[in-house]
Amino acid sequence: MTNGAGTGRYWLMKSEPDAYGWDDLVAEGEGTWDGVRNHRAANNLRAMQIGDEAFFYHSNIGKEIVGIVTISQSGLIDPSDPEGKWAAVKVKPVRKLKKPVTLAQIKGDPALAGMELIKLSRLSVGVVTREEWDHILAVSET
């Protein structure tokens, strides 16, 4: 379950599905993750390396993890930022989860109580520990 050439770090990336959802990314084949204007989330984008994996999370509508993406290009300047201060990465879909894992399931699971998704609920790009990653994958298979 190691992830390519990346650092072995895992992430969670939120997107509003009515703006850019899983199906949009799959249709494109590769998407630019931009528009992040929170310093901590931007620092997480800067820390990503090619081959790292992330959960694709539908925020607002659905509030669930729906798939896995891989970082295909890292260290980019956000093309939507005219001042060139904000970070971006490119991502490619890896696979859709067998079953989405909802925010309610995550909040109700003691093994996931420390997730940034819960503790820093407004953070759009967060860190996921290996233990959290493996646990969520197991939950998505049941």
Side-chain angles (χ1 to χ4, degrees):
M1 250 201 238
T2 56
N3 56 358
T7 58
R9 287 187 281 189
Y10 299 93
W11 310 93
L12 183 136
M13 303 171 85
K14 293 181 182 179
S15 185
E16 297 175 11
D18 54 341
Y20 190 80
W22 174 259
D23 292 338
D24 298 311
L25 175 61
V26 169
E28 282 186 8
E30 182 178 52
T32 302
W33 210 274
D34 58 4
V36 172
R37 296 297 182 265
N38 170 284
H39 289 286
R40 184 168 180 154
N43 285 338
N44 286 339
L45 287 174
R46 287 183 192 98
M48 291 178 178
Q49 294 187 17
I50 294 171
D52 283 359
E53 290 181 325
F55 285 128
F56 191 111
Y57 179 89
H58 280 168
S59 60
N60 287 0
I61 301 166
K63 295 185 180 179
E64 59 191 6
I65 297 170
V66 295
I68 297 171
V69 300
T70 187
I71 309 307
S72 54
Q73 291 184 43
S74 59
L76 304 176
I77 301 296
D78 187 332
S80 71
D81 173 19
E83 295 181 19
K85 294 179 179 179
W86 295 98
V89 297
K90 288 196 179 246
V91 298
K92 289 184 177 180
V94 174
R95 68 178 172 93
K96 191 171 189 173
L97 294 185
K98 183 175 178 182
K99 195 173 73 181
V101 179
T102 67
L103 179 60
Q105 284 176 283
I106 293 167
K107 283 184 173 180
D109 191 328
L112 301 173
M115 273 193 85
E116 280 192 353
L117 176 63
I118 297 168
K119 290 185 165 201
L120 303 170
S121 62
R122 296 183 54 85
L123 190 64
S124 62
V125 179
V127 174
V128 176
T129 67
R130 177 63 191 253
E131 294 74 22
E132 292 164 346
W133 181 269
D134 290 344
H135 190 79
I136 288 169
L137 288 179
V139 169
S140 75
E141 293 292 323
T142 59

